[in-house]
Amino acid sequence: MFSDPKPASLNRPEPRPGVMAVDLYVPGKSGRPGPGKVYKLSSNETPLGPSPAAVAALHDATTKLETYPDGQATVLRTAIGKRFGLDPARIVCGAGSDELLSLLAYAYCGPGAEGIYSEHGFLVYRIAILASGGTPVVAPERDLTADVDAILARVTERTRIVYVTNPNNPTGTYLPFDEIRRLHAALPPHVLLVIDGAYAEYVKANDYTAGLELALEAENVVMTRTFSKIYGLAAVRIGWMLAPAHVADAVNRIRGPFNMSSLAIAAGAAAIADEGHMAAAAAHNAEWLPKLTEGARALGLTVTPSVANFVLIHFPDEPGRSAADADAFLTERGLITRRVTAYGLPNALRVTVAGAEANEAFLAALGDFVRGARA
């Protein structure tokens, strides 16, 4: 008989150090209680939806649900390779780019190692680094944009991975090609540079790069992309990365053997081949991004210049006029935006470029809020 009770922490399995330091990722709101039309502007989803070809391919795949998917996602990797002129052997697919970002941390970070990301970078980077047992290191930004010099100043002998979102979420800002090149050139060769191009397809700037060219030529650069945004396939979770052969090999060794469903593989392959649908989504965004930006600025609000499919709107830190007040007001009007307090931006809202009706409703409601109307 045991007479010596042990501390509670010794009487049950305990997660290893770092796991309980992970803040739960909280996605944007999807709706509101009560009746009335709701416009979801909180998750950067495309208002055009997926390609009809992707929907048809997904439906066809449902006739084979008893069969395991291809563990190599061959059809999808081949379609991506054909679209961009890439060797499919250097492409790894995952359940959204989130999975790939985490797998890279598991493979290259870990206990005693450090991972760097910028001050307002994607929250998944911190989660992935901590989950791997590594130590997150935050580099301050300049004008809500990743700062190459600040990142390099934080590189130590313990640094193993650097994440850069280009363009960044939630700010919508980007680093031009020359700055990405400068960052890579100054990193030690053992440090893996991960360029997250989730919103790359929306960018029209001539000096922009998603990192594809650098990932093709360098031994320590990976580019990740997603089908959740412009391709309209967020529900089926598809991401991909282009990596040096040795990095692809490492990630393939630790990913799940069937980490993508047959439905995702089929839909993704069809979606990336439908260039017309993607072009239409990009054109819609190019029309409405400046309209939302200029509309909010005309109301006296500050908007961070964005090249993605969302805008970051800043509000005064004053009672009745704050971002929290605006969010509550807009929610009452059925307009669901994204608070970004978790990103260190408590006085801002991120707003997705939605369909014309939703965009117009948002600008009208935002004007009412600024003018002091009641919800």
Side-chain angles (χ1 to χ4, degrees), residues 230-285:
I230 203 165
Y231 294 105
L233 292 171
V236 290
R237 312 306 301 127
I238 310 170
W240 64 280
M241 73 179 196
L242 176 69
H246 64 93
V247 176
D249 181 45
V251 171
N252 277 323
R253 289 172 184 270
I254 61 174
R255 69 174 175 84
F258 303 106
N259 64 326
M260 297 195 65
S261 71
S262 297
L263 280 68
I265 292 169
I272 204 160
D274 189 350
E275 297 185 36
H277 187 77
M278 191 196 78
H284 175 86
N285 193 72

Side-chain angles (χ1 to χ4, degrees), residues 10-357:
L10 300 180
N11 289 333
R12 66 184 187 189
E14 291 289 328
R16 58 176 175 71
V19 171
M20 299 312 294
V22 174
D23 295 323
L24 290 174
Y25 181 87
V26 180
K29 295 181 296 183
S30 294
R32 61 160 191 181
K37 191 163 188 176
V38 171
Y39 300 103
K40 186 184 176 190
L41 311 176
S42 57
S43 298
N44 302 340
E45 297 148 341
T46 172
L48 272 62
S51 158
V55 174
L58 188 149
H59 285 168
D60 183 61
T62 63
T63 64
K64 309 175 186 70
L65 295 182
E66 75 282 2
T67 304
Y68 276 103
D70 171 15
Q72 302 301 317
T74 306
V75 170
L76 178 56
R77 291 189 301 108
T78 299
I80 294 169
K82 181 178 180 181
R83 168 68 179 81
F84 293 101
L86 304 173
D87 178 2
R90 293 182 56 180
I91 296 170
V92 181
C93 295
S97 55
D98 299 357
E99 181 189 29
L100 299 172
L101 296 169
S102 294
L103 289 172
L104 288 165
Y106 303 157
Y108 290 95
C109 201
E114 295 175 347
I116 299 175
Y117 59 95
S118 66
E119 181 180 3
H120 303 297
F122 189 29
L123 295 176
V124 164
Y125 305 148
R126 173 180 169 82
I127 294 172
I129 294 164
L130 284 169
S132 77
T135 300
V137 176
V138 181
E141 296 182 359
R142 180 181 300 172
D143 298 327
L144 298 181
T145 304
D147 183 337
V148 168
D149 293 315
I151 292 171
L152 292 174
R154 281 152 184 82
V155 174
T156 72
E157 69 278 1
R158 296 180 296 278
T159 305
R160 291 296 178 272
I161 193 166
V162 173
Y163 291 102
V164 175
T165 325
N166 208 34
N168 188 46
N169 170 30
T171 62
T173 57
Y174 75 101
L175 286 178
F177 182 76
D178 288 347
E179 282 294 274
I180 292 288
R181 284 275 187 185
R182 184 166 74 88
L183 171 61
H184 172 251
L187 287 175
H190 69 272
V191 174
L192 186 67
L193 174 60
V194 180
I195 304 172
D196 179 357
Y199 299 91
E201 292 86 357
Y202 290 109
V203 185
K204 302 297 183 184
N206 292 331
D207 61 348
Y208 169 76
T209 177
L212 189 149
E213 301 89 349
L214 201 54
L216 278 172
E217 66 188 49
E219 288 294 309
N220 64 334
V221 177
V222 172
M223 178 203 69
T224 63
R225 302 281 275 271
T226 183
F227 281 75
S228 296
K229 305 306 177 185
I230 203 165
Y231 294 105
L233 292 171
V236 290
R237 312 306 301 127
I238 310 170
W240 64 280
M241 73 179 196
L242 176 69
H246 64 93
V247 176
D249 181 45
V251 171
N252 277 323
R253 289 172 184 270
I254 61 174
R255 69 174 175 84
F258 303 106
N259 64 326
M260 297 195 65
S261 71
S262 297
L263 280 68
I265 292 169
I272 204 160
D274 189 350
E275 297 185 36
H277 187 77
M278 191 196 78
H284 175 86
N285 193 72
E287 175 187 356
W288 277 100
L289 181 65
K291 289 182 179 179
L292 287 178
T293 301
E294 292 157 13
R297 286 176 176 164
L299 294 169
L301 299 171
T302 299
V303 183
T304 299
S306 172
V307 296
N309 70 330
F310 55 84
V311 292
L312 186 69
I313 303 175
H314 303 266
F315 294 82
D317 187 13
E318 301 171 12
R321 302 182 63 202
S322 69
D325 295 319
D327 183 53
F329 181 96
L330 293 165
T331 298
E332 283 295 311
R333 292 283 184 94
L335 295 148
I336 311 304
T337 60
R338 181 72 148 100
R339 295 291 309 278
V340 284
T341 302
Y343 286 92
L345 296 163
N347 298 318
L349 296 178
R350 192 192 68 194
V351 182
T352 305
V353 176
E357 181 180 296

